[in-house]
């Protein structure tokens, strides 16, 4: 039903079913993992009104698991990427996995768990903020905001040709040319955010 992917490794589809509604992946050598992707295989959808809460568990010094909520997957959002490199071991919260033992004490193995829960329950839970991966980098966000600001600012001065008063010292630029530049720049940013470097 679920898969787990770490860059540079084979896809894991061998989730252990630890309860009727709970699944766990072992994640060896987790110290060298920055991000993890959890996804539905597409073979079995969630029942209507259900989704999956995705948790991550560090092995702590006592061997007791410490679970942290990363986020959610649903039929409408069947995959998600989570940043685990910034999570702090030993800091956890409420979780549905009980006191499951870690795979083997002393080994560098973490776990990713999926708990099938109602969409209402999922909407009331707050994931660890540092696990969220932005789909847009800050430079791209800045550029988009800058484009919007320039277009909105210049459009606020728009007048029709009939409203124009002749002024030989002032130069006018057609609003259509700014709109064309705006659309071209957006298209080029979408294709390659670093196009401006060449």
């Amino acid at each position: 039903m679920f898969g787990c992917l770490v860059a540079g490794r084979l896809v894991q589809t061998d989730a252990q079913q630890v309860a009727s509604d709970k699944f766990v992946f072992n994640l060896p050598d987790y110290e060298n993992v920055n991000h993890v992707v959890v996804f539905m295989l597409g073979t079995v959808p969630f029942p209507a009104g259900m989704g999956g809460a995705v948790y991550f568990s560090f092995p702590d010094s006592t061997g007791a698991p410490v679970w942290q909520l990363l986020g959610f997957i649903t039929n409408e959002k069947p995959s998600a990427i989570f940043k685990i490199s910034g999570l702090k071991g030993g800091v956890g919260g409420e979780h549905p996995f009980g006191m499951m033992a870690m795979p083997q004490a002393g080994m560098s193995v973490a776990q990713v768990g999926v708990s099938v829960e109602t969409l209402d329950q999922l909407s009331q839970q707050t994931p660890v903020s540092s696990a969220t991966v932005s789909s847009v980098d800050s430079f791209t966000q800045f550029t988009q905001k800058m484009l919007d600001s320039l277009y909105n600012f210049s459009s606020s001065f728009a007048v029709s040709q009939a409203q124009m008063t002749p002024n030989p010292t002032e130069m006018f630029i057609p609003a259509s040319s700014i709109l064309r530049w705006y659309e071209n720049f957006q298209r080029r940013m979408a294709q390659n955010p670093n196009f401006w470097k060449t």
Side-chain angles (χ1 to χ4, degrees):
M1 184 170 183
F2 304 110
C4 180
L5 176 65
V6 172
R9 299 185 186 182
L10 293 173
V11 173
Q12 290 180 257
T13 57
D14 59 345
Q16 297 173 306
Q17 188 168 0
V18 295
S20 62
D21 58 351
K22 296 186 183 22
F23 303 83
V24 174
F25 291 97
N26 289 330
L27 197 62
D29 194 26
Y30 74 94
E31 294 95 345
N32 296 316
V33 176
N34 291 323
H35 297 83
V36 63
V37 179
V38 178
F39 57 94
M40 297 175 64
L41 296 176
T43 54
V44 180
F46 284 111
M50 303 295 278
V54 179
Y55 290 85
F56 181 73
S57 176
F58 285 97
D60 75 359
S61 58
T62 66
V66 179
W67 293 92
Q68 298 180 7
L69 178 64
L70 300 179
F72 315 98
I73 55 174
T74 64
N75 290 334
E76 291 72 35
K77 184 182 171 251
S79 65
I81 183 170
F82 304 106
K83 181 179 178 185
I84 62 171
S85 60
L87 300 178
K88 294 181 174 67
V91 179
E94 282 190 40
H95 62 87
F97 290 94
M99 289 303 294
M100 290 178 21
M102 294 303 290
Q104 292 177 356
M107 290 191 65
S108 175
V109 177
Q111 292 181 313
V112 174
V114 179
S115 173
V116 179
E117 300 174 10
T118 66
L119 295 177
D120 288 340
Q121 286 175 303
L122 296 179
S123 67
Q124 296 174 18
Q125 299 176 24
T126 306
V128 176
S129 61
S130 61
T132 305
V133 175
S134 174
S135 59
V136 181
D137 67 35
S138 59
F139 174 74
T140 304
Q141 288 175 333
F142 166 76
T143 304
Q144 183 63 48
K145 295 291 184 188
M146 182 195 65
L147 289 171
D148 292 341
S149 176
L150 172 64
Y151 182 74
N152 292 335
F153 178 77
S154 59
S155 296
S156 71
F157 294 98
V159 292
S160 68
Q161 217 168 13
Q163 297 170 318
M164 290 176 65
T165 46
N167 183 348
T169 62
E170 188 140 15
M171 186 169 59
F172 292 93
I173 300 171
S176 61
S177 64
I178 293 177
L179 179 60
R180 194 168 46 250
W181 169 83
Y182 173 81
E183 290 169 345
N184 285 339
F185 200 93
Q186 278 190 314
R187 179 181 45 78
R188 291 179 75 188
M189 280 294 290
Q191 290 172 346
N192 176 11
N194 296 312
F195 82 92
W196 55 274
K197 292 181 178 180
T198 57

